[in-house]
Amino acid sequence: MKPYLVVPLVLLASLFTASGVAAVTRGWVLPFHRRRVRAPRIYGWGQLIVAFALCWQSVFGLMTSDSGAGPAGTLIGSAILVAGLVVMMTGRLARGPRKDGGTP
């Protein structure tokens, strides 16, 4: 993987990490997601999983060895990414009203 692909992935992962930490610790969600997210802490954990998957893919994308670790690592990273998206959707589709103390 080329550096011009790794740098945007790491920047995107850092934004997901910051937003995920804010959602997990404070229940704060970005303003354009507030209406749709019903469980901000679950949504935040999903963002942290997605950030980890992006970092995982950038690390294994840099591996260009013939051992096969690069393609297998990016495949595992893709599976982690899908799992994070499922957790984020769970936070959006949770039943019941929003809990107090979250973002208005």
Side-chain angles (χ1 to χ4, degrees), residues 4-97:
Y4 60 84
L5 293 175
V6 173
V7 171
L9 276 178
V10 171
L11 288 175
L12 187 63
S14 65
L15 290 174
F16 268 104
T17 302
S19 180
V21 167
V24 169
T25 58
R26 301 283 184 194
W28 185 85
V29 180
L30 291 170
F32 48 88
H33 288 264
R34 286 184 186 162
R35 286 186 175 198
R36 294 183 288 266
V37 175
R38 294 206 172 264
R41 287 179 170 70
I42 295 172
Y43 187 78
W45 279 112
Q47 286 181 324
L48 291 174
I49 294 169
V50 167
F52 176 75
L54 289 174
C55 289
W56 180 281
Q57 285 184 335
S58 65
V59 165
F60 279 98
L62 287 174
M63 298 178 82
T64 57
S65 65
D66 295 330
S67 66
T74 55
L75 183 63
I76 292 170
S78 297
I80 296 170
L81 183 69
V82 169
L85 291 174
V86 167
V87 172
M88 286 174 65
M89 289 307 296
T90 302
R92 292 179 85 172
L93 300 175
R95 299 274 186 219

